[in-house]
């Protein structure tokens, strides 16, 4: 036992040795969460003698599960570590044994994202549907909603493939037709998508008592990692399988809940005690990762959230590097400052690989990529395509090249974007013609517009747009050419119909870069010059080097750590995103900023710049800069008083619009007077719902009133 507990602090030892009942562990950033989990598993096996086959240890990523397995194998000296897996992995274990009860074979196919995408495209083709009637995003949402109600399982269980096909063919409602078609493709292949792995498992546990009892008795100890990220279905699965032995151990950090868009609900960890009174609470507050200066900044930021477990992370390291904050007049100034700091760090012996640039959304990377390339600083972009290699950006550049060059590569790329019925077969016909007549593909298209098979396409629309701008682009601003051609070609409308906000934001960022290029180039600013300059950023010959700066979104950086971190693009409309329209959403954005801060080990740099967002709004410094106590930031550039006043007014107005509760000091138990309802008593103050619960003297039942209501306190 000494070996298992060796190296653990007092809080970690309590978490490891409290084995019975319901236990919540709040694990602050960098507090040794994984170490605590693995030691607890080893303690159960080596000290208590629990078989690995009776322990479920569930987390959210395969990477985390794999790391946990490897660590535990080393500690317990046994290759069999039972049920250490993701929630989806646990679903697979249950289904491999028991899916036969819904008439599915145990060798069912697990459908990945590409499989489901292909199935959806097949459904659209068979139904002769276009995305104008129902976008793919809308179809996915309709299917997900249908499945969230468990409505699909009776079809998979009781309806055979031919019956599903018949339902699909007869259905006239577009959404229902897509759903039936999707289920038909599933049943035909005996496939389950990722959502099914959870829903079908739950269905079996809910409806088949013998199966439920078997799994409950088997899982004597249930441990759930990253509990702040559980959805209602994840939560129910953990609750059911732990309900017999009543040993549920959860660990997570509500201040790092950043996946609500994937169904995560912070309430399950914050309100754990409401469900399980008498539970044991353990706080892992000692941070072994970051310097005190970083922790001070992070703590001062996150304390602005109201819906959280109140605690503070404590730094255990020593340092004297205060967090730096830089405000640039343009995105290029911001990027240049970051590049200069990286060069300085590297000149002082810091490898590039110890440096990370983190941002809210992929499109923010554009100016930083340009500056790193310009300064020959090596970098790697994680889980995202480099800005000028992204499909929509290459498409726009290809449209522009059609005006100046009309090369075959650009032609093939955009002639069918959006779709004009010019597919592979017609492209091959044009290639044959071009080869025989020694002309470009675009010229071949022009010469065959009135002949089949080109006549029956919308090729004429494409030619009309290209010729329109070929004749006048030299007399236009480049930014106006881009706006016009995207509008006239239907390309931007296509992205809007698909609901593809990220690609639209990337195009808006490209337009911003063109505005900057035009401003910096003065009067001599041609489209040809711009395309030549862009070529510097689009060459594909640059090799990725191991010693390279890491660029990634904060969501990707979750769970990682870097000695030196730049959090960039800290602007209103970017971070928090312009889509933030509720207090819950704002608190999640602030948690995301907290995650970004706490990725840093030795030094943290925060940056923003002026300019305009894709929706035309001005880029003020983010409220998260102002949420961070001034004493914990070294302002490299002092903000103008006028800018601070304007930013503060913008933020205050925005928070009023989204219903942030006012600080009026009212609390439960206070007597208040309402101008219509009269006197009453505040029963509860619900910050999450932005309302007071009030029992007025004249009513038998209570009323929920918005924080915006005017109430006079009665002494």
């Amino acid at each position: 036992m000494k070996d298992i507990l060796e190296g653990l602090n007092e809080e970690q030892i309590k978490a490891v040795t409290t084995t019975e009942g319901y236990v919540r562990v709040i694990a602050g950033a960098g507090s040794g969460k994984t170490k605590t989990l693995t030691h607890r598993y080893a303690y159960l096996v080596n000290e208590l003698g629990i078989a690995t086959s009776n322990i479920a240890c569930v987390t959210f990523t395969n990477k985390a599960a794999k790391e946990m397995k490897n660590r535990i194998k080393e500690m317990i000296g046994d290759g069999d570590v039972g049920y250490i897996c993701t929630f989806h992995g646990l679903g697979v274990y249950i289904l491999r044994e028991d899916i036969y009860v819904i008439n599915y074979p145990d060798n069912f196919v697990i459908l990945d994202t590409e499989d489901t995408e292909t199935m959806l495209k097949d459904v659209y083709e068979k139904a002769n549907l276009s995305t104008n009637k129902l976008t793919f995003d809308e179809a996915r949402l309709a299917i997900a909603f249908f499945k969230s109600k468990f409505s699909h399982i009776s079809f998979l269980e009781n309806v055979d493939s031919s019956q599903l096909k018949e339902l699909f063919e007869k259905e006239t409602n577009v959404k229902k037709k897509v759903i039936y078609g999707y289920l038909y493709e599933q049943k035909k292949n005996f496939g389950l998508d990722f959502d099914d792995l959870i829903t079908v498992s739950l269905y079996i546990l809910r409806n088949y008592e013998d199966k439920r009892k078997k799994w409950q008795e088997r899982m004597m100890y249930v441990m759930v990692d990253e509990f702040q990220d559980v959805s209602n279905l994840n939560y129910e699965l953990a609750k059911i399988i732990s309900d017999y032995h009543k040993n549920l151990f959860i660990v997570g950090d509500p201040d790092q809940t950043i996946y609500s868009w994937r169904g995560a609900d912070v309430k399950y960890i914050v309100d754990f005690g409401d469900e399980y009174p008498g539970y044991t609470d353990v706080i892992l507050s000692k941070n072994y990762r970051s310097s005190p200066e970083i922790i001070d900044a992070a703590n001062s930021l996150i304390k602005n959230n109201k819906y959280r477990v109140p605690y503070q992370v404590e730094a255990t390291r020593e340092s004297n590097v205060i967090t730096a904050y830089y405000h640039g007049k343009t995105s290029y100034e911001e990027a240049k400052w970051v590049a200069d700091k990286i060069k300085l760090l590297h000149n002082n012996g810091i490898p590039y690989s110890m440096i990370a640039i983190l941002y809210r959304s992929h499109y923010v990377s554009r100016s930083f990529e340009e500056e790193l390339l310009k300064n020959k600083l090596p970098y790697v972009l994680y889980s995202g395509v480099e800005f000028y290699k992204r499909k929509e950006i290459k498409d726009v550049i290809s449209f522009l090249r059609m005006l100046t060059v009309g090369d075959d590569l650009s032609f093939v790329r955009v002639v069918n974007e959006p779709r004009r019925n010019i597919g592979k077969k017609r492209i091959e016909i044009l290639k044959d013609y071009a080869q025989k007549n020694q002309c470009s593909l675009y010229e071949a298209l022009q010469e065959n517009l009135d002949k089949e098979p080109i006549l029956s396409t919308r090729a004429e629309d494409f030619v009309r747009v290209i010729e329109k701008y070929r004749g006048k682009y030299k007399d236009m601003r480049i930014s106006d050419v881009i706006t016009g051609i995207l509008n006239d070609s239907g390309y931007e409308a296509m992205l809007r119909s698909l609901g593809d906000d990220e690609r639209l934001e990337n195009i808006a960022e490209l337009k911003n870069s063109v505005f900057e290029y035009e401003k910096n180039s003065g009067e001599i600013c041609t489209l040809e010059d711009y395309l030549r300059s862009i070529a510097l950023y689009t060459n594909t010959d640059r090799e990725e080097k191991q010693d390279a700066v890491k660029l990634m979104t904060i969501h990707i950086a979750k769970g990682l750590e870097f000695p030196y971190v730049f959090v960039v693009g800290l602007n209103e409309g970017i971070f928090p995103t312009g889509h933030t329209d509720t207090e819950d959403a704002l608190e999640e954005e602030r948690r995301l900023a907290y995650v970004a801060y706490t990725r840093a080990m030795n030094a943290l740099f925060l940056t923003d710049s002026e300019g305009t967002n894709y929706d035309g709004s001005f880029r003020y410094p983010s409220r998260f800069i102002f949420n961070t106590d001034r004493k914990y930031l070294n302002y490299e550039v002092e903000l103008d008083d006028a800018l601070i006043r304007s930013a503060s007014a913008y933020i205050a107005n925005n928070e009023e619009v989204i219903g942030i509760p006012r600080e009026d000091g009212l609390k439960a138990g206070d007597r208040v007077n309402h101008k219509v309802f009269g006197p009453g008593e505040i029963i509860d103050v619900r910050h999450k719902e932005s309302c007071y619960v009030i029992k007025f003297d004249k009513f038998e039942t209570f009323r929920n009133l918005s924080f915006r209501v005017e109430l006079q306190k009665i002494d």
Side-chain angles (χ1 to χ4, degrees):
M1 185 165 84
K2 183 181 177 184
D3 289 342
I4 292 174
L5 302 182
E6 194 171 353
L8 301 179
N9 64 38
E10 188 177 334
E11 299 163 343
Q12 291 169 333
I13 289 173
K14 182 180 179 183
V16 167
T17 57
T18 306
T19 61
E20 307 307 305
Y22 295 99
V23 183
R24 180 181 73 172
V25 177
I26 302 296
S31 62
K33 169 178 67 69
T34 304
K35 183 177 184 179
T36 303
L37 267 170
T38 53
H39 281 249
R40 187 176 195 270
Y41 192 108
Y43 184 82
L44 289 171
V45 175
N46 288 1
E47 299 304 320
L48 303 189
I50 305 299
T52 58
S53 59
N54 297 128
I55 305 172
C57 186
V58 187
T59 187
F60 276 84
T61 67
N62 288 312
K63 181 182 176 184
K66 183 178 179 181
E67 182 184 349
M68 227 177 292
K69 278 182 183 177
N70 291 337
R71 288 203 202 182
I72 288 170
K73 282 178 184 178
E74 289 180 11
M75 295 181 72
I76 67 175
D78 188 347
D80 180 13
V81 288
Y83 302 97
I84 300 177
C85 55
T86 63
F87 272 103
H88 291 98
L90 182 60
V92 172
Y93 280 123
I94 293 170
L95 295 174
R96 290 293 185 207
E97 286 191 28
D98 296 319
I99 197 171
Y100 69 89
V101 299
I102 67 159
N103 303 313
Y104 249 57
D106 60 8
N107 63 340
F108 60 88
V109 176
I110 299 175
L111 304 166
D112 62 21
T113 306
E114 190 173 336
D115 293 328
T116 57
E117 188 81 5
T118 301
M119 283 165 46
L120 203 51
K121 287 177 181 176
D122 288 344
V123 170
Y124 269 63
E125 190 174 324
K126 288 172 183 173
N128 197 25
L129 277 175
S130 74
T131 53
N132 290 332
K133 289 186 177 179
L134 188 73
T135 69
F136 280 156
D137 279 348
E138 289 169 338
R140 290 188 198 97
L141 284 172
I143 292 167
F145 182 76
F146 188 75
K147 289 189 171 189
S148 71
K149 304 296 183 184
F150 289 64
S151 306
H152 63 302
I153 298 177
S154 62
F155 287 93
L156 298 180
E157 183 176 12
N158 302 316
V159 182
D160 64 32
S161 297
S162 60
Q163 290 172 303
L164 275 168
K165 185 179 181 183
E166 189 177 341
L167 284 170
F168 165 64
E169 290 171 345
K170 288 182 177 179
E171 184 58 56
T172 55
N173 179 279
V174 174
K175 283 187 179 180
K176 285 185 179 179
K177 193 175 189 70
V178 170
I179 290 168
Y180 290 148
Y182 185 87
L183 293 178
Y184 164 67
E185 294 293 334
Q186 270 197 259
K187 187 66 181 268
K188 184 175 66 174
N189 296 293
F190 284 115
L192 296 180
D193 60 30
F194 289 139
D195 289 341
D196 296 328
L197 299 178
I198 305 296
T199 56
V200 179
S201 299
L202 274 173
Y203 176 82
I204 292 171
L205 293 175
R206 284 177 181 177
N207 294 283
Y208 294 88
E209 186 179 352
D210 58 328
K211 305 305 177 190
R212 180 172 65 251
K213 186 176 180 184
K214 176 185 72 175
W215 285 98
Q216 286 179 334
E217 290 182 354
R218 185 184 298 177
M219 299 293 97
M220 296 178 181
Y221 294 87
V222 178
M223 302 162 64
V224 182
D225 186 20
E226 303 287 8
F227 199 76
Q228 77 276 354
D229 293 331
V230 297
S231 66
N232 61 324
L233 297 183
N234 298 147
Y235 177 73
E236 185 183 353
L237 187 56
K239 183 179 179 181
I240 287 176
I241 64 171
S242 63
D243 198 43
Y244 180 74
H245 295 286
K246 303 191 185 307
N247 290 323
L248 176 61
F249 175 91
I250 65 147
V251 57
D253 182 5
D255 288 339
Q256 296 187 65
T257 301
I258 59 173
Y259 295 115
S260 66
W261 47 275
R262 279 194 330 211
D265 195 332
V266 69
K267 74 179 182 183
Y268 291 118
I269 188 167
V270 172
D271 300 333
F272 188 76
D274 294 346
E275 181 75 27
Y276 305 108
Y279 75 106
T280 301
D281 215 11
V282 182
I283 308 285
L284 303 184
S285 59
K286 292 182 174 59
N287 178 287
Y288 297 96
R289 174 191 299 153
S290 305
S291 70
E293 291 77 13
I294 294 168
I295 294 303
D296 285 339
N299 280 336
S300 72
L301 169 73
I302 200 63
K303 73 180 181 183
N304 289 277
N305 273 13
K306 296 182 177 68
Y307 192 64
R308 61 188 294 260
V309 176
Y311 80 102
Q312 280 211 147
V313 175
E314 304 165 16
T316 59
R317 296 179 50 198
E318 292 184 4
S319 176
N320 58 0
V321 182
I322 192 168
T323 295
Y325 164 56
Y326 175 79
H327 172 80
K329 288 294 183 183
T330 67
S331 59
Y332 284 98
E333 274 190 21
E334 180 185 4
K336 185 180 184 303
W337 185 85
V338 170
D340 288 344
K341 283 291 182 185
I342 290 172
K343 283 191 283 188
L344 183 62
L345 287 169
H346 189 65
N347 291 339
N348 287 328
I350 305 301
Y352 291 119
S353 59
M354 294 175 69
I355 303 168
I357 299 176
L358 308 182
Y359 35 78
R360 175 63 178 86
S361 302
H362 280 301
Y363 72 90
V364 177
S365 72
R366 189 264 310 165
S367 57
F368 299 95
E369 289 185 61
E370 287 185 12
E371 197 64 34
L372 293 172
L373 281 168
K374 188 188 299 181
N375 287 274
K376 295 183 169 58
L377 299 175
Y379 72 92
V380 178
L381 193 78
Y382 284 83
S383 263
V385 184
E386 293 174 16
F387 187 84
Y388 287 105
K389 293 180 187 175
R390 292 167 191 166
K391 181 187 182 305
E392 60 278 10
I393 302 304
K394 292 183 75 173
D395 286 350
V396 175
I397 292 167
S398 293
F399 272 120
L400 297 178
R401 282 182 14 184
M402 285 303 302
L403 307 185
T404 61
V405 183
D407 59 290
D408 288 351
L409 287 173
S410 297
F411 175 86
V412 171
R413 184 168 192 95
V414 297
V415 69
N416 207 36
E417 291 283 348
R419 289 185 180 180
R420 301 183 182 90
N421 203 24
I422 307 172
K424 290 180 181 178
K425 289 182 180 179
R426 287 184 170 88
I427 293 290
E428 289 303 318
I429 291 170
L430 290 174
K431 284 181 178 179
D432 288 342
Y433 183 93
Q435 190 173 3
K436 289 174 184 175
N437 293 276
Q438 296 295 297
C439 63
S440 70
L441 291 177
Y442 180 65
E443 290 167 338
L445 182 73
Q446 287 177 299
E447 292 170 16
N448 286 276
L449 284 176
D450 58 351
K451 302 169 188 171
E452 289 293 358
I454 303 302
L455 182 61
S456 57
T457 71
R458 293 196 295 115
E460 190 174 350
D461 293 345
F462 178 71
V463 172
R464 188 184 303 115
V465 172
I466 299 303
E467 290 305 306
K468 173 182 176 180
Y469 288 95
R470 270 190 171 184
K472 63 179 183 178
Y473 78 84
K474 290 184 179 180
D475 299 320
M476 297 174 65
R477 291 168 57 90
I478 302 168
S479 51
D480 291 336
V481 174
I482 292 176
T483 299
I485 207 164
L486 286 175
N487 182 57
D488 291 353
S489 67
Y491 189 87
E492 200 157 7
M494 174 190 71
L495 295 184
R496 293 192 190 284
S497 72
L498 293 172
D500 204 330
D501 286 342
E502 183 172 351
R503 286 187 170 175
L504 287 167
E505 287 173 346
N506 285 338
I507 285 177
E509 185 62 17
L510 177 69
K511 291 178 183 177
N512 276 341
S513 76
V514 173
F515 292 141
E516 292 287 346
Y517 178 83
E518 289 171 333
K519 188 166 66 175
N520 295 333
S521 300
E523 292 182 9
I524 305 172
C525 180
T526 69
L527 179 57
E528 287 83 358
D529 288 337
Y530 173 71
L531 290 172
R532 278 192 287 271
S533 72
I534 285 297
L536 296 174
Y537 302 122
T538 57
N539 86 74
T540 56
D541 297 324
R542 184 181 60 79
E543 293 183 5
E544 288 187 354
K545 299 179 181 178
Q546 191 169 7
D547 185 27
V549 178
K550 299 173 175 66
L551 275 69
M552 65 187 77
T553 65
I554 301 162
H555 282 102
I556 294 166
K558 172 81 159 57
L560 304 177
E561 58 185 32
F562 314 94
Y564 301 90
V565 169
F566 293 82
V567 183
V568 301
L570 276 160
N571 290 95
E572 289 295 311
I574 298 177
F575 196 12
T577 171
H579 303 302
T580 307
D581 57 1
T582 65
E583 185 180 6
D584 284 351
L586 179 59
E587 292 216 343
E588 177 148 339
E589 289 287 300
R590 191 177 285 111
R591 290 194 293 265
L592 190 60
Y594 175 78
V595 167
Y597 283 23
T598 55
R599 297 314 92 199
M601 300 166 69
N602 300 340
L604 175 64
F605 307 88
L606 311 176
T607 71
D608 77 281
S609 59
E610 295 175 23
T612 54
N613 295 313
Y614 76 97
D615 62 356
S617 61
F618 184 77
R619 286 183 174 176
Y620 292 110
S622 170
R623 69 195 72 191
F624 302 147
I625 294 295
F626 301 122
N627 286 167
T628 306
D629 285 354
R630 178 70 171 80
K631 63 184 176 182
Y632 298 132
L633 296 180
N634 176 35
Y635 278 47
E636 299 277 333
V637 175
E638 287 297 333
L639 300 179
D640 294 338
D641 288 342
L643 178 64
I644 294 174
R645 285 195 299 273
S646 297
S648 299
Y650 171 86
I651 292 165
N653 180 66
N654 174 261
E655 293 193 348
E656 184 177 344
V657 168
I658 66 178
I660 300 296
R662 61 191 183 193
E663 296 297 329
D664 55 11
L666 295 177
K667 60 186 184 299
D670 286 347
R671 293 279 297 170
V672 293
N673 190 68
H674 185 276
K675 60 184 179 181
V676 175
F677 296 148
E681 181 179 330
I682 297 178
I683 306 301
D684 192 14
V685 180
R686 295 179 179 171
H687 289 290
K688 193 175 182 185
E689 290 85 8
S690 299
C691 73
Y692 301 109
V693 181
I694 303 176
K695 171 63 176 68
F696 289 102
D697 298 349
K698 64 192 293 185
F699 301 130
E700 292 185 6
T701 59
F702 59 79
R703 298 288 186 273
N704 289 1
L705 299 186
S706 164
F707 280 134
R708 296 182 185 182
V709 71
E710 289 187 17
L711 295 172
Q712 183 180 2
K713 188 174 179 180
I714 302 173
D715 295 325

